[in-house]
Amino acid sequence: MDVLIIEDDENAAKAIRRVIMNAGFSVEIAENGCKALEMLKTQVPRLVISDLMMPFMNGIEVLGRIKADERLRGVKVMILSAVAQAKLEEALDAGADLVLAKPFGNAELTAKIKEILGIS
């Protein structure tokens, strides 16, 4: 798995997965942060793309758990959100490698993924 998407909106998750797969990456989806952390116990992706506002555990909490785990520290984390700019800045302060405001275009998402992974 190259990319793990954490998104509680099933339609949004499928749309994001389609864009990422079309760019040539293997993708898995977790519908919340708790399930994502379970998946991360056995798989280490290159990139985690997480929604910010989710039930059970928000994206910043997931980000904190990833960055606190020695095994996962090298995983890049991108936070997606339709919330205020201040929340996106909070995600950057918490250690996100990149934030992207919703809505975004497919080309923009693909470009940001390649940028965060250092692919030209």
Side-chain angles (χ1 to χ4, degrees), residues 25-93:
F25 298 101
S26 61
V27 182
E28 295 288 336
I29 296 174
E31 59 267 12
N32 62 54
C34 297
K35 291 192 178 188
L37 292 173
E38 279 300 311
M39 292 173 75
L40 290 170
K41 288 180 180 177
T42 59
Q43 301 178 66
V44 179
R46 295 173 63 193
L47 172 64
V48 170
I49 299 177
S50 178
D51 188 20
L52 185 58
M53 303 304 292
M54 298 179 291
F56 309 113
M57 182 182 300
N58 69 38
I60 292 176
E61 291 171 309
V62 173
L63 170 64
R65 299 264 184 104
I66 290 171
K67 295 300 181 178
D69 186 326
E70 236 179 84
R71 214 175 43 82
L72 301 173
R73 281 196 189 132
V75 174
K76 301 291 185 183
V77 180
M78 179 190 300
I79 300 290
L80 307 177
S81 184
V83 299
Q85 184 65 33
K87 281 291 188 186
L88 292 174
E89 290 173 12
E90 183 181 337
L92 284 172
D93 290 343

Side-chain angles (χ1 to χ4, degrees), residues 5-17 20 29-31 49-55 58-59 78-89 91 98-106 108-109 112:
I5 300 167
I6 311 170
E7 172 63 71
D8 59 318
D9 179 318
E10 183 179 353
N11 291 330
K14 287 179 178 179
I16 294 167
R17 178 179 63 192
I20 296 170
I29 296 174
E31 59 267 12
I49 299 177
S50 178
D51 188 20
L52 185 58
M53 303 304 292
M54 298 179 291
N58 69 38
M78 179 190 300
I79 300 290
L80 307 177
S81 184
V83 299
Q85 184 65 33
K87 281 291 188 186
L88 292 174
E89 290 173 12
L98 194 121
V99 296
L100 187 58
K102 294 178 182 177
F104 47 81
N106 295 350
E108 180 181 16
L109 178 60
K112 293 296 185 182

